[in-house]
């Protein structure tokens, strides 16, 4: 009899007397976790075919040959609140603390294409990010920061074409050539429909804006990452790790298909696609998730889309630790959660990382909390030794088996979505949303029933005082932005602004790329709200698909 | 635009409906408190979940308002057999102008009643009529013959299907064709719409009832296409006598 | 089936699209035997108030994660009392710092549920406040 079976039987006898902690052990995706993994669990694996070497197809072990032996990941803390001036101060602080890339958070009116003086913006201005109404705000936001020497990541989606247009306008005004610009716009509308909710236009118009950006950048802004296809928010909305991989890649497939349909070649756009994942609590599941995503994408690009450029095969990604796992109770414990999640991201081979601050379940993070979060990354990098070899967990029987399992289950989702006619249809039919909601509901039930332990919440809790020293956004921001807008509209050349706006509208109605007109409009100080309002009239607005 | 003439406030009407739903008050009592009925029509909109009924309804409401008629909607969703609770989400798609007193929308759960309607639909319709609403629309989930009770209360029945609901089309053919006065093929932007359309037209051809030939309307509700055509079909059906034209045996 | 039903409106005022909590809660309330009217995201205070009136709900749950609660919640309660529905049990939830509770309760929010509150807790609270 084989030794494994022998051992297993013996152990099963033993646990009759002293049982294990639980009858079954399951990870977040519902995958059964075995007592022990052995080479038998990897028997279907072919090293050269399924793992290969870092920097080579199928990139399971990493997208660069030397990984963190060459250079650490980019430590990139998402920040932005209140006015452009306040955010600018926070950016300069972060740069002074050793951060290399900026990550800009915008307030909801900006994300939804409303100016700060719009009635719908009331109470929201500057709350979850910085308010940007026009090029003027952009000038202040990046005051004293050299656009050519930093990489800027902007969490902006439905209104990305305008905000990015303003960023380009700023570069042009400062005489910086577009080739020198580095950074990322999120620009991922599909996950907005699925999970995050900041959409404006219906799918067809939105997809067109995205392909316009792809094509404009491939010619004009070659080092810009034109999209950050995001599983992060899908996971935050309650999906499992498998669903996060599956739906993110399904979104990616939809973008590539739409670009190809618009006449772009796969290899002209794919190298600029980037991804954005969540780092959640289940440590090994997360590491395996990142590795599985990389392998799947490489295969999809090579086999399905026939991409030839190796850069088109490589899935590069940013990671943020899971905001939804942070709790208000005993908030300092969040630092430890973030540490574990960050470590999973690093062992999963991330290209950049945002570590959440301990107080994010309560409010915007204070400067002190942000510093701890950044130091967490620096400690992992400089002290833990995990960066000294590539993919240190590669070859673990458990991790390789999980990687394969996640790939397998995610692939089943991708097939299902293909059979529904693609991701757009699956979203319109509410399929994707329902899958996520079911997982979210199960997750909540498992916490409430005590099946899933959360320290400080359903186990090891203690009475504590209301937390102090939270950061509050000054409500005066709204008035300040409004005043600026009025002054702007009185001070600018309104004939020129109206002409520029009309050109954007014409471009939107026609076939030509919309970006040149948007950059010109930004230079004429046409506001974000003016542009989006004009296009809302032409294209209408998306209505959410709610499945309950 | 007309409104309900201020006979009864929205708040009072809403409360009367609750009282009727909970059998705390008789219908005649509720009606006399609600006011006096205008000339009114009941339109039933039925079809499988997700086919686009609420989306279509949202535009139809606007269209009726634009032609100066008041509209009341009852949106019916099933009650869970297990818990007795219900999730009512149809309003999400019906975002009318707030403050327009000419529109009233009420979500109702079936509360154990079978047949696609609630046990109190007829009664609540009477109350809404008494409150002076002219176009009364009932949205119900229906795919087969057992779920088309709507025909009992409606002067005109609109059956909605889509290319994405291929499996249900077979069932529709069995059940809904007998009761539909107007057929809508929504989501005509989907692949395969041409074929389904042809199929539906063929089926509808046999449905000439006392001079009314059942139209099949091609629609993309999400893009407002086909709405006016639907409104006009409903209007001309009602003008010809509505439910009294060859009403079906189902009507009890 | 003619007993009095608890009818709850779960509403998302403001611009944030984080509806995970609102949807999980809506489902839990349904599973607890209540009739739940879910509004969808991005509702104006006027829309929320109108829904509550037309649907004749006994309870309104407001979920907001953008930080605009101090501005939007009082607007909604004011509209409700203006329209004669001061009696509705209005509850708040989302990302709301405890230090804002007092202000919100003064403006007519009966209770604020903070991150970590369970759906069981909320169900129990509604049942206790609205005896059927
Ligand atoms: N592509 C497309 N989607 C539509 C159309 N009409 C409705 N939808 C979408 O279908 C989904 C379900 O619509 P809904 O009105 O809630 O369906 P109901 O369950 O029948 O009331 C929503 O996401 C709508 O936006 C259409 O004509 N074309
Ligand atoms: Mg509906």
């Amino acid at each position: 009899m084989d030794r494994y079976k022998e051992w297993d039987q013996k152990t099963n006898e033993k646990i009759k007397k002293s049982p294990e902690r639980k009858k079954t052990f399951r990870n977040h995706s519902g995958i059964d976790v075995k007592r022990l993994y052995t080479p038998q669990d990897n028997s279907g694996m072919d090293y050269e075919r399924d793992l290969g070497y870092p920097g080579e197809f199928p990139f399971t072990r990493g997208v660069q040959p030397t990984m963190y032996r060459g250079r650490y990941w980019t430590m990139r803390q998402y920040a932005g609140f209140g006015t452009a001036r306040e955010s600018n101060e926070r950016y300069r602080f972060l740069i002074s603390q050793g951060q290399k890339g900026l990550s800009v958070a915008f307030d909801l009116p900006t994300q939804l294409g409303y100016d700060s003086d719009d009635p719908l913006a009331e109470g929201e201005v500057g709350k979850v990010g910085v308010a940007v109404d026009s090029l003027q705000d952009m000038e202040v936001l990046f005051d004293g920061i050299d656009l050519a020497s930093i990489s800027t990541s902007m969490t902006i989606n439905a209104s990305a074409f305008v905000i990015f247009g303003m960023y380009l306008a700023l570069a042009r005004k400062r005489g910086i050539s577009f080739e020198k610009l580095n950074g990322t716009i999120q620009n991922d509308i599909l996950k907005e429909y699925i999970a995050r909710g900041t959409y404006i236009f219906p799918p067809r118009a939105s997809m067109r804006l995205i392909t316009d950006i792809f094509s404009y950048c491939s010619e004009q802004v070659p080092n810009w990452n034109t999209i950050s296809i995001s599983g992060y928010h899908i996971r935050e909305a309650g999906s499992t790790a498998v669903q996060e991989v599956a739906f993110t890649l399904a979104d990616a497939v939809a973008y590539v298909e739409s670009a190809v349909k618009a006449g772009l070649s796969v290899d002209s756009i794919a190298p600029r696609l980037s991804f954005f994942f969540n780092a959640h609590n289940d440590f090994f599941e997360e590491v395996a998730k990142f590795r599985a995503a990389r392998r799947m994408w490489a295969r999809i690009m090579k086999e399905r889309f026939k991409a030839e450029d190796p850069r088109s095969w490589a899935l590069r990604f940013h990671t943020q630790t899971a905001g939804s796992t942070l709790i208000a109770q005993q908030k300092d414990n969040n630092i430890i959660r973030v540490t574990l999640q960050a470590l999973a991201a690093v062992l999963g081979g991330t290209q950049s990382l945002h570590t959440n601050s301990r107080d994010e379940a309560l409010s915007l993070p204070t400067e002190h909390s942000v510093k701890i979060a950044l130091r967490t990354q620096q400690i992992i990098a400089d002290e833990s030794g995990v960066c000294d070899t590539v993919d240190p967990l590669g070859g673990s029987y458990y991790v390789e088996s999980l990687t394969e399992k996640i790939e397998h289950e995610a692939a089943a989702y991708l097939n299902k979505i293909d059979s529904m006619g693609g991701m757009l249809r699956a979203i319109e039919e509410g399929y994707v949303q329902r899958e996520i909601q079911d997982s979210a509901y199960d997750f909540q039930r498992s916490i409430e029933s005590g099946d899933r332990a959360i320290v400080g919440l359903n186990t090891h809790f203690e009475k504590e005082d209301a937390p102090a020293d939270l950061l509050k956004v000054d409500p005066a921001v709204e008035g300040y932005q409004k005043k600026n807008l009025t002054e702007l509209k009185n001070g600018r050349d309104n004939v020129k602004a109206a002409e520029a706006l009309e050109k954007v509208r014409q471009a939107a109605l026609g076939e030509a790329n919309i970006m040149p007109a948007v950059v010109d409009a930004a230079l004429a100080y046409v506001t974000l709200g003016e542009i989006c309002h004009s296009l809302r009239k032409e294209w209408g607005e998306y209505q959410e698909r709610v499945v309950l | 635009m007309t409104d309900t003439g201020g006979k009864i406030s929205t708040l009072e009407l809403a409360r009367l409906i609750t009282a009727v739903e909970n059998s705390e008050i008789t219908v005649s009592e509720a009606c006399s408190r609600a006011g006096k009925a205008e000339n009114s029509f009941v339109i039933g909109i039925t079809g499988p979940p997700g086919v686009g009924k609420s989306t279509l309804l949202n535009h139809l409401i606007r269209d009726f308002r634009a032609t100066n008629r008041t509209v009341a909607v009852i949106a019916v969703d099933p009650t869970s057999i297990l818990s007795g609770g219900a999730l009512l989400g149809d309003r999400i798609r019906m975002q009318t102008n707030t403050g327009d007193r000419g529109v009233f929308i009420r979500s109702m759960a079936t509360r154990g009643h079978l047949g696609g309607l609630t046990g109190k639909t007829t009664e609540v319709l009477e109350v809404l009529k008494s409150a002076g609403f002219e176009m009364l629309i009932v949205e119900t989930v229906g795919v087969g013959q057992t779920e088309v009770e709507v025909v009992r209360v409606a002067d005109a029945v609109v059956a909605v299907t889509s290319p994405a609901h291929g499996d249900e089309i077979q069932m529709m053919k069995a059940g809904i064709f007998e009761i539909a006065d107007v057929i809508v093929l929504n989501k005509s932007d989907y692949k395969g719409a041409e074929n389904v359309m042809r199929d539906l037209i063929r089926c509808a051809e046999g449905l000439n009832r006392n001079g009314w030939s059942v139209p099949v309307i091609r629609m993309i509700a999400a893009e407002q296409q086909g709405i006016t055509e639907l409104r006009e079909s409903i209007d001309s059906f009602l003008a010809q006598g509505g439910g009294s034209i060859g009403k079906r045996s189902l009507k009890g | 089936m003619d007993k009095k039903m608890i009818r709850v409106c779960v509403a998302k005022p403001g611009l944030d699209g984080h509806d995970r909590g609102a949807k999980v809660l809506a489902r839990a309330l349904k599973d607890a035997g209540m009739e739940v009217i879910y509004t969808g995201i991005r509702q104006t205070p006027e829309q929320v108030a109108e829904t509550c009136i037309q649907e004749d709900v006994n309870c309104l749950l407001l979920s907001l994660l953008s930080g605009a609660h101090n501005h939007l919640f009082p607007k909604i309660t004011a509209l409700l009392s203006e329209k004669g529905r001061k009696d509705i049990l209005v509850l708040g939830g989302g990302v709301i710092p405890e230090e804002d509770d007092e202000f919100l309760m003064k403006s007519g929010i009966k209770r604020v549920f903070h991150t970590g509150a369970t759906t069981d807790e909320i169900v129990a609270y509604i049942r206790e406040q609205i005896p059927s």
Side-chain angles (χ1 to χ4, degrees):
Chain A
M1 193 159 100
D2 98 27
R3 279 283 295 124
Y4 171 74
K5 276 206 186 116
E6 205 177 298
W7 172 83
D8 199 44
Q9 272 174 12
K10 210 163 65 191
T11 313
N12 279 332
E13 282 306 311
K14 254 193 203 142
I15 66 169
K16 281 182 189 153
K17 262 192 245 134
S18 52
E20 293 176 317
R21 280 183 291 110
K22 293 192 261 183
K23 279 229 155 52
T24 49
F25 290 76
R26 261 199 202 114
N27 68 16
H28 192 173
S29 297
I31 296 171
D32 275 323
V33 179
K34 295 170 58 175
R35 182 177 299 133
L36 184 76
Y37 288 81
T38 67
Q40 291 184 9
D41 294 288
N42 303 151
S43 60
M45 188 175 88
D46 178 309
Y47 184 84
E48 303 286 334
R49 181 194 66 202
D50 297 324
L51 299 186
Y53 299 90
E56 291 177 16
F57 189 85
F59 299 98
T60 313
R61 308 204 62 181
V63 289
Q64 295 118 4
T66 61
M67 289 302 289
Y68 311 131
R69 283 168 69 100
R71 175 169 88 65
Y72 294 141
W73 61 92
T74 307
M75 299 174 193
R76 195 193 284 280
Q77 298 297 104
Y78 179 84
F81 56 94
T83 61
R85 178 61 63 204
E86 286 169 282
S87 299
N88 176 262
E89 277 161 22
R90 177 68 65 95
Y91 297 152
R92 290 175 184 224
F93 164 79
L94 285 167
I95 291 172
S96 76
Q97 295 299 307
Q99 180 164 312
K100 294 285 181 320
L102 291 181
S103 180
V104 185
F106 296 92
D107 72 357
L108 286 164
T110 305
Q111 295 184 43
L112 292 167
Y114 297 117
D115 282 342
S116 300
D117 59 358
D118 193 291
L120 289 171
E122 259 179 52
E124 308 268 15
V125 177
K127 283 277 159 46
V128 302
V130 58
V132 172
D133 294 319
S134 75
L135 176 58
Q136 203 172 56
D137 295 320
M138 216 44 130
E139 287 163 348
V140 177
L141 192 60
F142 292 98
D143 184 28
I145 298 170
D146 177 15
L147 298 188
S149 69
I150 50 150
S151 97
T152 307
S153 163
M154 294 188 265
T155 301
I156 196 76
N157 293 278
S159 58
F161 68 112
V162 184
I163 294 297
F164 183 49
M166 288 178 183
Y167 191 82
L168 294 176
L170 179 62
R172 182 165 293 164
K173 251 191 113 177
R174 290 191 185 166
I176 299 166
S177 104
F178 287 180
E179 272 134 57
K180 292 219 179 90
L181 297 178
N182 265 293
T184 308
I185 42 176
Q186 201 162 75
N187 200 23
D188 171 12
I189 199 67
L190 293 176
K191 66 94 175 45
E192 297 294 336
Y193 298 141
I194 301 170
R196 191 165 170 272
T198 55
Y199 42 74
I200 304 176
F201 308 113
R204 252 189 275 197
S206 298
M207 293 302 272
R208 178 256 167 111
L209 288 174
I210 291 168
T211 36
D212 274 6
I213 293 174
F214 285 0
S215 116
Y216 183 81
C217 287
S218 77
E219 285 159 20
Q220 311 271 333
V221 206
N223 295 315
W224 198 267
N225 296 312
T226 49
I227 194 166
S228 171
I229 306 162
S230 308
Y232 182 80
H233 315 90
I234 291 173
R235 190 65 178 275
E236 288 290 290
S239 85
T240 65
V242 165
Q243 290 168 340
E244 180 189 353
V245 172
F247 299 152
T248 307
L249 296 186
D251 283 346
V253 166
Y255 292 125
V256 175
E257 275 177 349
S258 134
V260 168
K261 223 191 228 162
L264 302 169
S265 81
V266 172
D267 285 316
S268 78
I269 56 137
R272 298 318 318 168
L273 304 180
S274 65
F275 289 79
F276 173 20
F277 289 112
N278 195 301
H280 215 277
N281 279 343
D282 191 316
F283 187 80
F284 291 107
E285 183 181 27
E286 292 303 294
V287 175
K289 174 186 84 180
F290 298 121
R291 301 172 84 247
R294 241 185 336 257
R295 183 156 79 203
M296 286 179 81
W297 183 243
R299 289 178 173 161
I300 290 171
M301 288 314 284
K302 192 172 180 185
E303 288 154 20
R304 176 170 180 161
F305 289 107
K306 314 281 177 238
E308 284 164 8
D309 186 340
R311 291 175 309 156
S312 301
W313 306 332
L315 179 149
R316 296 168 300 125
F317 67 99
H318 171 70
T319 307
Q320 181 172 338
T321 58
S324 62
T325 63
L326 304 187
I327 64 171
Q329 294 77 4
Q330 305 172 42
K331 70 172 180 183
D332 286 349
N333 293 345
N334 290 328
I335 299 171
I336 292 92
R337 292 191 177 94
V338 168
T339 307
L340 287 167
Q341 295 164 0
L343 186 60
V346 170
L347 292 172
T350 195
Q351 276 58 63
S352 61
L353 179 61
H354 167 109
T355 32
N356 283 332
S357 300
R358 59 182 171 168
D359 38 14
E360 272 171 56
L362 301 160
S363 68
L364 288 167
T366 61
E367 203 158 88
H368 182 57
S369 301
V370 172
K371 196 190 283 188
I372 296 174
L374 181 59
R375 294 286 181 255
T376 304
Q377 297 197 38
Q378 290 160 342
I379 290 169
I380 293 174
D382 292 329
E383 299 184 16
S384 76
V386 298
C387 303
D388 296 349
T389 185
V390 176
D391 188 28
L393 289 178
S396 147
Y397 307 127
Y398 179 34
V399 170
E400 294 303 352
S401 162
L402 263 182
T403 303
E404 202 177 289
K405 253 264 146 41
I406 291 173
E407 176 173 13
H408 183 77
E409 294 194 5
Y413 267 121
L414 285 169
N415 286 337
K416 164 93 187 164
I417 289 164
D418 279 338
S419 77
M420 293 181 76
M423 195 54 166
L424 257 175
R425 285 292 181 248
I427 294 169
E428 283 177 330
E429 289 301 321
Y431 168 74
V432 181
Q433 298 90 314
R434 185 185 298 278
E435 288 294 305
I436 295 171
Q437 260 161 248
D438 286 347
S439 302
Y441 193 65
D442 292 346
F443 191 77
Q444 180 66 23
R445 301 275 12 140
S446 70
I447 291 173
E448 296 197 9
S449 70
D451 278 355
R452 188 179 296 276
I454 312 272
V455 173
L457 194 67
N458 61 6
T459 173
H460 309 297
F461 36 75
E462 53 192 47
K463 273 228 150 330
E464 55 187 328
D465 295 332
D469 70 324
L470 299 176
L471 179 81
K472 283 227 134 171
V473 174
D474 183 357
V477 177
E478 194 161 321
Y480 176 81
Q481 285 295 122
K482 281 185 181 173
K483 189 172 130 274
N484 272 359
L485 262 174
T486 316
E487 282 171 15
L488 176 89
K489 287 181 185 171
N490 290 334
R492 72 183 175 188
D493 179 342
N494 275 311
V495 176
K496 212 173 124 201
E499 277 169 15
L501 179 59
E502 176 57 19
K503 288 221 175 91
V504 173
R505 198 182 69 91
Q506 292 299 341
L509 292 178
E511 302 271 286
N513 197 306
I514 200 169
M515 286 313 291
V518 174
V519 175
D520 287 344
L523 283 166
Y525 292 93
V526 177
T527 68
L528 165 77
E530 287 169 334
I531 293 177
C532 291
H533 184 65
S534 146
L535 299 186
R536 271 187 170 96
K537 276 205 258 174
E538 302 300 337
W539 287 335
E541 289 184 65
Y542 178 73
Q543 285 273 334
E544 73 178 304
R545 168 69 159 134
V546 175
V547 280
L548 291 168
Chain B
M1 277 194 201
T2 57
D3 64 21
T4 54
K7 287 173 200 156
I8 181 175
S9 74
T10 307
L11 175 86
E12 287 167 308
L13 176 60
R15 290 221 147 133
L16 271 184
I17 293 175
T18 307
V20 167
E21 247 196 313
N22 294 341
S23 306
E24 291 160 3
I25 180 178
T26 64
V27 192
S28 53
E29 165 82 38
C31 288
S32 73
R33 279 205 229 162
K36 201 171 113 316
E38 302 284 334
N39 196 10
S40 66
F41 296 103
V42 178
I43 300 158
I45 299 192
T46 186
V51 75
K53 299 179 294 297
S54 301
T55 312
L56 167 168
L57 201 55
N58 183 37
H59 300 305
L60 199 59
I61 296 170
R62 254 183 243 158
D63 225 45
F64 280 135
R65 289 302 285 144
T67 51
N68 254 330
R69 287 172 281 182
T70 55
V71 188
V73 175
I74 300 179
V76 183
D77 278 309
T79 292
S80 147
I81 312 168
L82 287 179
S83 70
L87 273 171
L88 310 170
D90 292 309
R91 284 192 84 94
I92 296 164
R93 314 215 146 266
M94 299 180 223
Q95 301 296 355
T96 51
N97 295 329
T98 48
D100 175 4
R101 293 203 45 214
V103 181
F104 183 93
I105 300 167
R106 181 66 173 241
S107 315
M108 286 174 79
T110 51
R111 298 195 181 172
H113 187 85
L114 299 175
L117 292 185
T118 85
K120 298 288 185 189
T121 312
T122 325
E123 287 85 346
V124 173
L125 280 170
E126 289 309 313
V127 178
L128 290 168
K129 282 181 195 168
S130 301
F133 287 97
E134 295 158 300
M135 305 310 283
L136 297 124
I137 310 178
V138 183
E139 175 185 336
T140 96
V141 170
V143 281
Q145 208 155 14
T146 54
E147 284 169 328
V148 292
E149 202 188 24
V150 65
V151 73
R152 290 178 203 279
V153 299
D155 299 300
V157 175
V158 179
V160 190
T161 185
S162 94
H165 290 83
D167 300 345
E168 281 107 356
I169 288 176
Q170 294 309 319
M171 292 206 270
M172 285 239 342
K173 280 189 198 156
I176 303 243
F177 273 98
E178 291 178 27
I179 55 135
D181 302 307
V182 178
I183 292 167
V184 171
L185 177 66
N186 190 37
K187 306 199 181 183
S188 322
D189 52 326
Y190 276 37
K191 247 199 221 114
E194 309 291 332
N195 288 338
V196 182
M197 188 69 190
R198 225 174 296 128
D199 210 28
L200 287 172
I201 290 174
R202 204 175 322 116
C203 293
E205 267 164 10
L207 294 178
N208 193 320
R209 284 196 287 260
N210 295 356
W212 175 257
S213 52
V214 174
V216 183
I217 293 166
R218 205 186 152 123
M219 180 175 288
I220 306 176
E223 292 171 18
Q224 290 201 48
Q225 286 178 38
I227 304 291
T228 311
E229 209 186 330
L230 170 64
R231 203 253 305 146
E232 286 167 358
S233 287
I234 295 172
D235 279 346
S236 54
F237 179 69
L238 292 173
Q240 290 188 30
S244 59
I245 316 179
K247 253 304 169 177
R248 301 125 300 221
S249 53
L250 251 165
K251 185 142 181 165
Chain C
M1 271 273 167
D2 288 335
K3 76 172 174 67
K4 239 197 192 132
M5 259 289 167
I6 298 183
R7 280 170 73 86
V8 186
C9 174
V10 176
K12 278 207 56 65
L15 299 181
D16 85 82
H18 300 289
D19 55 8
R20 171 180 180 170
K23 284 175 169 170
V24 166
L25 184 61
R27 202 147 147 184
L29 296 173
K30 172 197 164 192
D31 286 350
M34 302 179 194
E35 287 182 357
V36 185
I37 292 107
Y38 177 62
T39 64
I41 61 171
R42 290 197 220 166
Q43 297 289 295
T44 63
E46 289 76 15
Q47 286 171 320
V48 175
E50 187 149 298
T51 297
C52 289
I53 307 250
Q54 294 191 354
E55 299 289 353
D56 195 27
V57 297
N58 327 86
C59 176
L60 167 63
L61 281 156
L62 296 169
S63 163
L64 194 79
L65 284 82
S66 71
H69 48 271
N70 284 346
H71 178 80
L72 291 169
F73 288 7
K75 267 193 144 175
I76 293 167
T77 47
L79 280 167
L80 285 175
S81 41
E82 188 184 301
K83 294 179 184 219
R85 286 303 313 267
K86 220 183 149 101
D87 61 298
I88 294 177
L89 174 68
V90 187
L91 309 174
V95 180
I96 297 174
E98 276 177 52
E99 60 188 63
D100 291 345
D101 287 10
E102 200 185 316
F103 169 76
L104 292 173
M105 280 156 84
K106 269 199 198 123
S107 359
I109 307 294
K110 191 69 191 267
R111 190 168 150 184
V112 178
F113 288 93
H114 298 276
T115 28
T118 64
T119 60
D120 288 345
E121 241 172 275
I122 298 171
V123 166
Y125 183 77
I126 295 174
R127 285 227 180 94
E128 171 199 308
Q129 294 290 314
I130 308 175
S132 56

